Amino acid sequence: MRGMTNPESSDLTGYEVIVAVCGGIAAYKVCHVVSALVQCGAGVTVAMTAAGTRFVGTMTFQALSARQVLTSLWSGADAYDPQHIRLTTKADLFLIAPATANMIGKIAGGVCDDLVSTMVAAARCPVMLAPAMNDTMWAHGPIQANVEKLKEMGYMLIGPVSGWLACRSVGTGRLAEPQEIIGAVVKKLISSPPKNDLAGK
């Protein structure tokens, strides 16, 4: 039986999740998120921006997910599929963590100039963003306008939270803790059966 008593012990068998990792020091926290979702039974495919690969190597996420990590529009996982549209149509949920100011702006503006932004535009499932950035950036008017626009469009945000930031200051902009992200993902997933579960559960 699927449940939320402890999100990390939930049964996510049959669910497909795309986790997109953008460039930010908080990317290391996403390793725990991916590992926990896999241990719950979910199929997890990781996509990374070029900046994201500078903080955590692709081999780390490949080992955690037991799947090829996607980093380019121009290399398909199994066959020639430059836009990876097939993966986005199969996914039950799309998580972007950390979601940088740059990626938030791209999605809000409909810009599709890299792998992650293109996959988001093609997604046919709920999209969650877990922002992480400097507190001054987070409070910046245009960024807040983009955030509000995304909320109005139906995108879901997890955090950010207040705490110690990489810039050696304390403020709002810290990535939500892995347990909070996992809990939000699990709650959303179990609200409906997985796409490939025709019988329903």
Side-chain angles (χ1 to χ4, degrees):
M1 180 177 179
R2 306 183 191 279
M4 274 291 293
T5 303
N6 177 6
E8 295 192 43
S9 64
S10 298
D11 177 13
L12 300 182
T13 303
Y15 289 100
E16 285 290 327
V17 181
I18 295 174
V19 177
V21 181
C22 301
I25 187 62
Y28 77 92
K29 292 184 178 181
V30 186
C31 295
H32 179 69
V33 174
V34 170
S35 178
L37 294 177
V38 170
Q39 291 181 56
C40 287
V44 180
T45 299
V46 176
M48 303 183 74
T49 64
T53 63
R54 291 180 173 269
F55 291 91
V56 179
T58 58
M59 289 300 296
T60 299
F61 284 114
Q62 182 171 315
L64 293 173
S65 67
R67 292 184 177 183
Q68 179 177 342
V69 175
L70 307 177
T71 59
S72 171
L73 282 167
W74 309 111
S75 59
D78 302 310
Y80 182 66
D81 183 14
Q83 294 184 340
H84 301 289
I85 302 302
R86 178 174 53 83
L87 288 172
T88 61
T89 57
K90 291 169 54 180
D92 294 287
L93 187 140
F94 198 128
L95 170 68
I96 306 172
T100 59
N102 183 52
M103 185 56 64
I104 289 172
K106 285 183 181 183
I107 299 172
V111 176
C112 304
D113 64 352
D114 68 354
L115 172 68
V116 172
S117 57
T118 299
M119 291 179 74
V120 172
R124 300 180 185 176
C125 62
V127 178
M128 287 184 167
L129 296 92
M133 64 193 74
N134 172 272
D135 57 332
T136 303
M137 292 177 65
W138 175 250
H140 188 48
I143 293 176
Q144 283 300 306
N146 285 335
V147 168
E148 290 305 314
K149 182 176 181 180
L150 291 182
K151 290 179 179 178
E152 291 173 2
M153 295 168 65
Y155 290 89
M156 295 165 282
L157 271 74
I158 310 167
V161 299
S162 179
W164 179 256
L165 305 174
C167 58
R168 303 299 189 270
S169 65
V170 176
T172 300
R174 181 183 175 90
L175 182 72
E177 291 303 313
Q179 292 80 3
E180 182 179 353
I181 296 173
I182 295 163
V185 169
V186 170
K187 183 177 181 180
K188 184 61 180 177
L189 285 174
I190 65 175
S191 66
S192 59
K195 288 183 178 180
N196 65 351
D197 185 1
L198 299 180
K201 290 185 179 180

